[in-house]
Amino acid sequence: MTVIFVLVLFSYSQIAFCAALIFQSVSKATCWHGDLCPLPAHHTQLISPYVPYMQAEKVLLEMQDPKKGVKSQPQRLVITTIPHAITVCALYSNSFFPMLSLARQLLNSCSGFLSSEARSFGSMLVALGYIYPLQDHKRLVIKPDASLYRFQTPYFWPTQQWPVEDTDYAIYLAKRNIRKKGILELHEQEQYNRLHKWMNHKWDFIVMQAKEQYRAAKERKKPDRVVFDCQERAYWVVHRPPVRTHTHTHTHTHTHTDSYQTCTTYTGCRLLPRVKSSVSIGALVKYCATYNSHDPFLSKCLPSNPWLTDDVTYWTLNMPNVEIPTKMRVERWTFSFGELLSDPRGRDDFRLFLKKEFSGENLAFWEGCEDLKWGTAVTMREKAEQIYKTFLARGAPRWINIDGKTMEITVSGLRHPHRYVLDAAQTHIYMLMKKVSKHTRSDAQLEQNARNRRPSLSPIILRQQELEQRAKMAASAPVDITQLCRFTTPVSHLAVYSGFTDSPSANASPSLPFVAPTPVCPSPISVALDSNSASERRAEAGEGEAERNPEARAPAGGNVLKSRMALSLRRLLKRGCSPSTMFASLSPKGQAAAGTSRIQPLCPDQPSQAPPRRTGNFFQIKVDIPPECRIYPIESEDEEEENRASSRGGVGAKEIICPWESLTPQNGTG
Amino acid sequence: MGKEECKTMLDALNKVTACYRHLVIALGSTSDSQNLREELKRTRKKAQELAVANRTKLTSLLKDKTISKEDRAEYERLWVLFSSSMEILEVDMKRSLEIGQDFPLKVPTRHLIQTGMTGSTTTVAARAMSVQNMKYEADSNIDTADLRDLQSEICQVSTMMEEMEMKVQVAPWAVEAKQEAGAELKSSMSVGNSSVGVISICEEEPKEEDGGGGSGAGFASTCAVFVFVVIVAVAVVLGYLVINMS
């Protein structure tokens, strides 16, 4: 019985052994994918630009040791046998993979676990071209099965100091053309044609050299010829991978050292906007022309360049929070809305202007968004919440008026606030403010503002509103604001109100850059104005220029108080008179035009004229300017003279009477 | 005429350059040997002689102001051929210096890369030198001694090329090639026959190897299955005997 039992046990053990054998052989035959999936041939992330070639070469040299190195086997082909083919197992199971000492223990005839370092090192060797696969030569991968590889000859090793030459590639392609009797692969054909086009001057040489090299190769024995062909082919697979390169930048060399950068170059090139050079150069020229006179190094700056004369007046005059901004500074604000906002002084003025327009929350919101964007990450969340509570939530104290879609996006984004969550709303508000500086806003918006305003209104505001209402009803013809917003090119130095002094009519009445629409206005204004000095009148002319705080600026000379009162009165009266056309007067170009030609006297002469004509008269604008150029009045030269005489900087700038304020009631046409 | 002379000399230089490249490719591999180093040296010297001769000839031809426009264009084309050959020669010389330094022959532990090339390059060198058989009479320390010569020769070649650039004003990009695309196929049709076998080997490798590998795996598994069946049969027989006996 025991004998029987022993026999049965023996048979079962045999069965188990056979099963194990079968399993092993089956698993050996399949190629392992998944976890051991090799990297694609054109991976770029693995190879950093600074692969230590020297270390790889050292390891390779040591791998050649007949005793301790990689064991090779002969490769059997149809007609010949070529030695020195290695398998992955042989590659990994030599003692010169120090990181593999553990792996070797785990390795059990290739069915064990291969450590990731070993895998990556092997893949690197193949991808760089130190080892090339004999089967499937186009995919430079390491396969953990019985596929064969061979070492590359040192001449074809990738070393950074020997750049891969197109000439060599052309010779190789020509040789291949000879061998394959003109039937090249698609990518090879493409490259061949391309090289023929670009290296045409060397083509004779390439053909000659290809033929000679081909004949020289034939002098060798057959196995060596096969090996040589495989070597060269592998070399060019590494350095000119068979990828259809449609997007050909000048960097068509795909060496692995710079393939990472090439990838980023290609993606970058795809995303670049394509602009005609004439357009971009035109923009550059325009920028230079505009800013040329504002650069203290390129053109003379007043009073003097501190770097040259050690006189710091220029800096003190241009401090961020100076009370009276200089003329040049103000002129700069006219260049674009962005300039105005970026200058703190300009921003203050704009803020005050908006306050009068009852839309100061827009600027506050914009500033809050900027704060959020540029602030520290720690405070972001609270800032976003604060902004939401103050500006965006329904019933917020300073609710801003943005369209429903933007609001939706913003509110949904605020659930996960990040730095740029308010970008859409901010852009909307920015555009709005930009438009405000050019046009008056629509009635609806104003009403909305009025609705959202705080309940307490100062009596002045109430009176203004009254006047606005009255004027609106009394306005004879609504002036289309779009007609008025025509601009001329900016004048670099201040506009000369030449017409101002020249035209006789200008002297007769205040040279207010108004178009007086109604008969209601002229008399009080002219009365008011006649009582003023000429300087006042001139200062008034400059009022169209900026939306600076009119109250803050005192005109030059001694009659500050008097002029102030007169100005405010005038302003109030003007409110009744002037249409929204005044807005356009804020354009510096408008001023320039007005200055260079005739500034029409406003009220007395104009009531009989049709509004379009008035505007035409006023502006004399024939040239278009891009809409970005904000209409922003620039000071008149007369004021400049005045200013120079009195204090440095902008007396005229001070004398800012915001015609917008008077225009806001009439913005029914806007 | 000078043109034919030039052309033949350039052809010779071209041939030598091609052979030199083949020899340098074999450097550092298992087909590397003392003979190879000597072959390299002699080929290099021949290439230099040819280069100098070519240069003098072409320079004199190009400096001649009395030649016609077509002649000048032709000489410029030959000049471009010459300078391209020289560029390739210079690069190959520099690389052979580098590889030669990395792979010295007379060291106790000599590690040459097992590239699979085992044959000699005698025939290639013979072709370069235009001789029937090569005779080797170099010393045993040619690999180190030669390197010094090589360095000086590289310097010579570099200076020669610089002089060339200075003396002769030829715009290489302005030269128009006479050969069109695919010109290499025309004269090489005759030489293609014997190489077909070579091509097919290279291209058919994948199919061969895959089949071989697959069949190998199949054979092993069939053997295992057969053995298993035999053992099962033995076990069944034993069991039957056990039942019979008890």
Side-chain angles (χ1 to χ4, degrees):
Chain A
M1 287 299 283
T2 49
V3 172
I4 293 160
F5 271 123
V6 163
L7 280 172
V8 167
L9 272 172
F10 172 71
S11 63
Y12 274 114
S13 69
Q14 288 291 310
I15 291 165
F17 172 68
C18 290
L21 260 183
I22 289 166
F23 173 72
Q24 234 176 38
S25 64
V26 165
S27 64
K28 223 184 194 173
T30 58
C31 183
W32 293 350
H33 295 288
D35 186 43
L36 293 179
C37 198
L39 297 158
H42 313 305
H43 61 274
T44 53
Q45 298 87 359
L46 176 70
I47 313 295
S48 78
Y50 302 109
V51 170
Y53 287 126
M54 300 312 294
Q55 278 88 324
E57 286 171 13
K58 272 192 225 141
V59 172
L60 270 172
L61 278 175
E62 285 162 2
M63 280 204 267
Q64 309 303 319
D65 192 317
K67 290 192 222 67
K68 291 188 282 175
V70 182
K71 300 274 177 289
S72 62
Q73 65 196 56
Q75 175 201 15
R76 282 179 219 292
L77 296 177
V78 172
I79 51 175
T80 181
T81 306
I82 303 174
H84 304 146
I86 54 175
T87 60
V88 165
C89 307
L91 182 70
Y92 287 149
S93 59
N94 75 83
S95 58
F96 285 98
F97 273 81
M99 61 281 268
L100 280 191
S101 54
L102 177 66
R104 203 150 37 91
Q105 291 161 24
L106 300 171
L107 255 171
N108 186 5
S109 68
C110 248
S111 59
F113 161 75
L114 287 176
S115 75
S116 60
E117 294 101 341
R119 234 186 306 144
S120 53
F121 189 73
S123 312
M124 185 193 80
L125 285 181
V126 173
L128 287 175
Y130 288 106
I131 295 173
Y132 60 94
L134 296 174
Q135 301 113 353
D136 198 8
H137 60 274
K138 284 199 193 150
R139 289 186 64 216
L140 302 171
V141 297
I142 279 267
K143 286 197 213 148
D145 55 11
S147 51
L148 296 172
Y149 300 82
R150 196 169 273 137
F151 291 107
Q152 182 69 280
T153 184
Y155 186 85
F156 287 136
W157 278 358
T159 48
Q160 282 166 320
Q161 54 171 306
W162 298 117
V164 181
E165 295 277 350
D166 271 337
T167 320
D168 295 337
Y169 190 48
I171 295 172
Y172 165 69
L173 285 176
K175 275 199 288 187
R176 209 162 154 76
N177 208 14
I178 298 172
R179 266 221 320 262
K180 307 203 87 181
K181 300 197 197 300
I183 303 165
L184 290 174
E185 288 183 38
L186 196 58
H187 72 276
E188 285 176 347
Q189 190 67 47
E190 279 178 12
Q191 296 275 31
Y192 185 89
N193 296 335
R194 187 181 66 86
L195 286 170
H196 177 70
K197 183 176 163 207
W198 290 109
M199 303 192 70
N200 194 266
H201 59 282
K202 275 191 178 176
W203 202 254
D204 285 347
F205 167 72
I206 286 166
V207 167
M208 270 171 63
Q209 184 68 211
K211 284 196 223 161
E212 280 301 327
Q213 283 190 13
Y214 186 74
R215 287 185 205 131
K218 277 173 45 163
E219 296 285 338
R220 299 202 73 175
K221 297 199 198 63
K222 267 249 168 72
D224 289 347
R225 274 197 349 233
V226 171
V227 172
F228 175 68
D229 288 338
C230 294
Q231 280 177 355
E232 215 182 359
R233 187 182 58 180
Y235 177 72
W236 288 114
V237 166
V238 169
H239 292 281
R240 294 280 187 270
V243 173
R244 306 266 308 260
T245 49
H246 288 299
T247 57
H248 252 277
T249 63
H250 65 282
T251 55
H252 55 261
T253 51
H254 279 283
T255 59
H256 281 272
T257 51
D258 63 357
S259 49
Y260 184 68
Q261 285 126 7
T262 318
C263 259
T264 46
T265 315
Y266 282 162
T267 43
C269 283
R270 265 208 307 276
L271 300 169
L272 279 176
R274 309 279 175 124
V275 181
K276 276 212 261 195
S277 59
S278 58
V279 172
S280 53
I281 290 174
L284 203 64
V285 165
K286 181 153 169 273
Y287 180 88
C288 291
T290 316
Y291 283 90
N292 187 39
S293 54
H294 290 266
D295 191 329
F297 287 106
L298 292 180
S299 57
K300 212 164 142 358
C301 82
L302 305 162
S304 65
N305 192 333
W307 295 108
L308 299 175
T309 57
D310 288 336
D311 171 27
V312 294
T313 324
Y314 179 74
W315 285 337
T316 49
L317 287 174
N318 282 304
M319 298 228 314
N321 291 318
V322 73
E323 223 186 270
I324 307 162
T326 63
K327 178 183 55 147
M328 296 297 281
R329 194 171 178 178
V330 167
E331 189 187 329
R332 232 186 134 136
W333 298 346
T334 68
F335 291 156
S336 77
F337 185 57
E339 281 278 356
L340 176 74
L341 277 189
S342 56
D343 190 354
R345 196 67 193 69
R347 206 191 285 190
D348 288 340
D349 285 342
F350 189 60
R351 197 178 297 125
L352 288 161
F353 160 65
L354 284 182
K355 208 149 81 168
K356 288 180 178 33
E357 291 263 332
F358 309 114
S359 47
E361 67 270 7
N362 293 315
L363 187 61
F365 174 73
W366 186 87
E367 283 179 337
C369 292
E370 286 287 295
D371 191 26
L372 181 72
K373 273 206 295 204
W374 298 105
T376 60
V378 185
T379 56
M380 242 165 36
R381 199 177 183 88
E382 299 116 52
K383 279 188 198 162
E385 277 176 27
Q386 188 68 29
I387 290 174
Y388 176 73
K389 280 194 214 134
T390 320
F391 296 101
L392 294 170
R394 244 175 283 178
R398 306 187 78 182
W399 190 78
I400 55 165
N401 187 19
I402 52 179
D403 64 306
K405 192 156 182 290
T406 318
M407 183 65 97
E408 254 177 64
I409 297 168
T410 312
V411 169
S412 58
L414 275 169
R415 261 184 251 125
H416 306 281
H418 56 91
R419 211 169 276 276
Y420 302 103
V421 66
L422 297 169
D423 238 12
Q426 189 187 5
T427 318
H428 185 97
I429 293 294
Y430 183 86
M431 291 300 156
L432 200 67
M433 291 197 291
K434 205 159 131 176
K435 267 192 256 174
V436 163
S437 65
K438 291 187 212 169
H439 311 275
T440 56
R441 277 161 311 142
S442 65
D443 249 344
Q445 194 148 9
L446 203 71
E447 278 167 19
Q448 189 126 41
N449 277 339
R451 259 184 270 128
N452 298 335
R453 262 199 323 267
R454 276 179 209 267
S456 63
L457 294 174
S458 72
I460 297 176
I461 295 171
L462 280 170
R463 202 200 305 173
Q464 284 176 0
Q465 284 182 328
E466 254 179 2
L467 287 168
E468 287 160 18
Q469 288 294 319
R470 218 188 302 153
K472 217 194 321 188
M473 289 192 295
S476 52
V479 183
D480 189 5
I481 216 177
T482 54
Q483 278 184 30
L484 308 174
C485 298
R486 287 164 281 165
F487 319 112
T488 62
T489 51
V491 190
S492 59
H493 53 276
L494 291 189
V496 186
Y497 276 50
S498 56
F500 175 52
T501 46
D502 292 345
S503 63
S505 54
N507 292 328
S509 65
S511 55
L512 296 170
F514 278 119
V515 189
T518 66
V520 177
C521 328
S523 37
I525 290 181
S526 47
V527 161
L529 290 172
D530 283 344
S531 62
N532 286 342
S533 61
S535 65
E536 295 293 316
R537 288 205 291 273
R538 281 198 218 129
E540 282 297 340
E543 74 178 37
E545 298 175 7
E547 32 78 26
R548 308 225 216 324
N549 189 355
E551 287 94 18
R553 315 281 178 272
N559 43 0
V560 172
L561 283 170
K562 188 173 159 199
S563 56
R564 260 204 199 138
M565 273 174 49
L567 278 173
S568 45
L569 179 62
R570 208 176 304 137
R571 224 172 301 123
L572 285 174
L573 294 170
K574 274 182 243 154
R575 225 161 266 214
C577 299
S578 48
S580 45
T581 62
M582 276 336 298
F583 227 102
S585 72
L586 303 180
S587 123
K589 343 310 166 89
Q591 292 299 18
T596 49
S597 55
R598 289 117 331 251
I599 289 193
Q600 295 303 314
L602 309 171
C603 309
D605 293 348
Q606 314 238 329
S608 51
Q609 294 166 7
R613 174 135 182 261
R614 276 201 296 266
T615 60
N617 283 344
F618 172 66
F619 286 119
Q620 308 290 339
I621 298 162
K622 307 293 179 271
V623 185
D624 282 346
I625 61 165
E628 318 57 280
C629 278
R630 211 170 35 82
I631 308 172
Y632 229 44
I634 50 177
E635 297 180 68
S636 70
E637 206 174 72
D638 290 351
E639 285 178 0
E640 182 191 342
E641 293 158 19
E642 252 184 6
N643 297 345
R644 278 216 201 96
S646 53
S647 66
R648 285 257 44 104
V651 167
K654 284 194 276 182
E655 194 61 274
I656 298 156
I657 299 172
C658 299
W660 300 293
E661 315 161 35
S662 44
L663 292 179
T664 49
Q666 267 75 11
N667 53 15
T669 58
Chain B
M1 261 266 311
K3 250 193 253 181
E4 278 69 32
E5 257 183 68
C6 259
K7 280 206 186 118
T8 39
M9 284 208 292
L10 272 175
D11 286 340
L13 178 64
N14 201 30
K15 187 171 75 170
V16 173
T17 312
C19 295
Y20 189 69
R21 172 159 277 203
H22 265 282
L23 294 175
V24 176
I25 287 176
L27 200 58
S29 64
T30 37
S31 57
D32 195 359
S33 64
Q34 184 132 334
N35 289 346
L36 177 67
R37 304 289 170 113
E38 193 180 340
E39 285 160 14
L40 275 170
K41 180 175 174 176
R42 286 162 68 168
T43 315
R44 199 175 65 232
K45 290 232 185 309
K46 173 128 195 222
Q48 271 201 296
E49 289 164 23
L50 281 171
V52 169
N54 264 306
R55 185 202 60 172
T56 40
K57 186 90 191 139
L58 270 175
T59 327
S60 63
L61 279 175
L62 279 168
K63 275 199 168 163
D64 190 0
K65 302 279 186 214
T66 60
I67 51 177
S68 64
K69 254 183 111 176
E70 297 86 27
D71 279 351
R72 183 151 184 106
E74 178 62 19
Y75 291 142
E76 284 186 3
R77 192 183 74 87
L78 293 176
W79 181 261
V80 168
L81 285 174
F82 174 62
S83 56
S84 318
S85 284
M86 288 311 295
E87 278 168 19
I88 287 194
L89 198 65
E90 192 188 356
V91 166
D92 282 343
M93 279 165 72
K94 286 183 182 164
R95 290 189 87 153
S96 73
L97 176 67
E98 196 189 313
I99 301 173
Q101 284 168 342
D102 287 338
F103 292 92
L105 289 175
K106 291 291 180 260
V107 288
T109 54
R110 185 168 100 169
H111 291 152
L112 294 172
I113 304 289
Q114 296 168 358
T115 53
M117 281 203 184
T118 44
S120 75
T121 46
T122 322
T123 43
V124 179
R127 185 186 165 83
M129 307 296 292
S130 310
V131 295
Q132 282 298 101
N133 295 310
M134 292 281 292
K135 292 195 188 60
Y136 298 100
E137 50 242 349
D139 307 331
S140 58
N141 63 342
I142 185 170
D143 47 345
T144 42
D146 189 36
L147 291 177
R148 267 173 271 125
D149 292 342
L150 180 52
Q151 271 173 333
S152 59
E153 281 177 29
I154 289 173
C155 292
Q156 279 178 17
V157 167
S158 311
T159 45
M160 183 167 83
M161 283 184 72
E162 278 172 29
E163 280 176 27
M164 274 160 49
E165 299 283 321
M166 292 299 142
K167 281 190 193 163
V168 177
Q169 306 295 331
V170 174
W173 50 88
V175 167
E176 275 186 35
K178 280 191 177 166
Q179 317 263 18
E180 66 272 7
E184 61 270 8
L185 291 169
K186 296 200 182 88
S187 53
S188 312
M189 292 307 266
S190 57
V191 302
N193 295 333
S194 57
S195 61
V196 170
V198 179
I199 306 165
S200 50
I201 288 169
C202 229
E203 304 306 316
E204 282 172 13
E205 271 178 34
K207 295 184 220 143
E208 277 182 12
E209 288 300 324
D210 280 345
S215 64
F219 181 62
S221 54
T222 48
C223 270
V225 167
F226 176 68
V227 168
F228 172 69
V229 165
V230 160
I231 300 287
V232 163
V234 164
V236 162
V237 161
L238 284 172
Y240 177 70
L241 285 174
V242 159
I243 290 165
N244 273 356
M245 274 167 51
S246 61

